[in-house]
Amino acid sequence: MKQQFAAVLTGSDYPVDGTVTQVDFDGYSNAYEFESIDNSLHLIIAKDDEGNWVRIAGTEPYLNSWIDELAQQVV
């Protein structure tokens, strides 16, 4: 069963509440998808070949800091 949990990302105006689900996406078998409760933000991250967390899909615009914030909540 895929992992799922609640998460909060720091928005530019207010915190963004959402749900994170472990997904298979575009060849990444261990990607994590954040979907905000209000549907304003969608972000998918995964580790690259060097083990760094990267954004592989999602809504625009986005804050680079969300990648690290989400990765910290995943671990």
Side-chain angles (χ1 to χ4, degrees), residues 30-46:
N30 238 355
Y32 290 87
E33 178 177 39
F34 176 88
E35 291 186 272
S36 65
I37 293 171
D38 66 2
N39 292 320
S40 65
L41 175 62
H42 179 238
L43 177 67
I44 301 176
I45 66 169

Side-chain angles (χ1 to χ4, degrees), residues 61-73:
Y62 73 98
L63 300 175
N64 281 329
S65 61
W66 287 339
I67 298 167
D68 293 332
E69 274 189 68
L70 184 52
Q72 288 175 358
Q73 295 179 58

Side-chain angles (χ1 to χ4, degrees), residues 3-70:
Q3 179 181 355
Q4 186 174 37
F5 58 91
V8 178
L9 298 179
T10 304
S12 56
D13 296 327
Y14 54 87
V16 182
D17 297 311
T19 303
V20 176
T21 306
Q22 185 179 5
V23 296
D24 294 332
F25 183 84
D26 199 27
Y28 294 91
S29 60
N30 238 355
Y32 290 87
E33 178 177 39
F34 176 88
E35 291 186 272
S36 65
I37 293 171
D38 66 2
N39 292 320
S40 65
L41 175 62
H42 179 238
L43 177 67
I44 301 176
I45 66 169
K47 286 190 175 183
D48 64 12
D49 292 337
E50 287 82 40
N52 300 309
W53 288 100
V54 295
R55 176 184 176 272
I56 55 174
T59 53
E60 297 280 345
Y62 73 98
L63 300 175
N64 281 329
S65 61
W66 287 339
I67 298 167
D68 293 332
E69 274 189 68
L70 184 52

